[in-house]
Amino acid sequence: MRRVYLVTYDVSDDKRLRQVFKKMNGYGEHLQYSVFQCELSDKERIQMIAELNTLIHHREDQVLIFSLGPAESYNANATIALGKPYEFVERHAIVV
């Protein structure tokens, strides 16, 4: 089952910040500065966490991962946006 996650990070070093940003681009959609929306399987979530663990400095940096529920029942209309409207970005796995 795929789930939707909101991933935010606060990384104190510019080099590590760029590395985390690049890594997150492979897992989700960039919504705002240091905020990504990801649709992941359990395996992908575990892999993402393992990869981020090697990039961050655990005493200085923070990554927060919020589960927003199953992808197939996620209700983007439940999100309240002030200012620019929030647009849910759907990602689908392509099997070749």
Side-chain angles (χ1 to χ4, degrees), residues 2 92-96:
R2 298 182 72 74
H92 300 283
I94 299 173
V95 179
V96 181

Side-chain angles (χ1 to χ4, degrees), residues 51-93:
E51 291 175 2
L52 289 172
N53 259 322
T54 66
L55 296 177
I56 67 168
H57 187 285
H58 290 262
R59 291 185 181 196
E60 297 177 9
D61 305 332
Q62 182 182 55
V63 177
L64 300 175
I65 302 167
F66 300 93
S67 176
L68 302 179
E72 61 271 2
S73 63
Y74 179 71
N75 181 4
N77 293 326
T79 301
I80 298 170
L82 302 178
K84 291 171 46 175
Y86 168 69
E87 296 178 22
F88 179 72
V89 181
E90 289 191 55
R91 291 185 100 185
H92 300 283

Side-chain angles (χ1 to χ4, degrees), residues 18-29:
R18 286 189 299 277
Q19 291 173 334
V20 169
F21 178 83
K22 280 182 165 181
K23 185 61 65 182
M24 287 307 304
N25 259 333
Y27 284 101
E29 299 297 325

Side-chain angles (χ1 to χ4, degrees), residues 26-66:
Y27 284 101
E29 299 297 325
H30 185 227
L31 297 181
Q32 292 183 351
Y33 186 73
S34 300
V35 179
F36 280 79
Q37 169 192 304
C38 305
E39 185 180 311
L40 306 170
S41 66
D42 287 341
K43 181 179 178 181
E44 291 167 328
R45 179 183 48 83
I46 291 166
Q47 182 179 348
M48 178 187 74
I49 291 169
E51 291 175 2
L52 289 172
N53 259 322
T54 66
L55 296 177
I56 67 168
H57 187 285
H58 290 262
R59 291 185 181 196
E60 297 177 9
D61 305 332
Q62 182 182 55
V63 177
L64 300 175
I65 302 167
F66 300 93

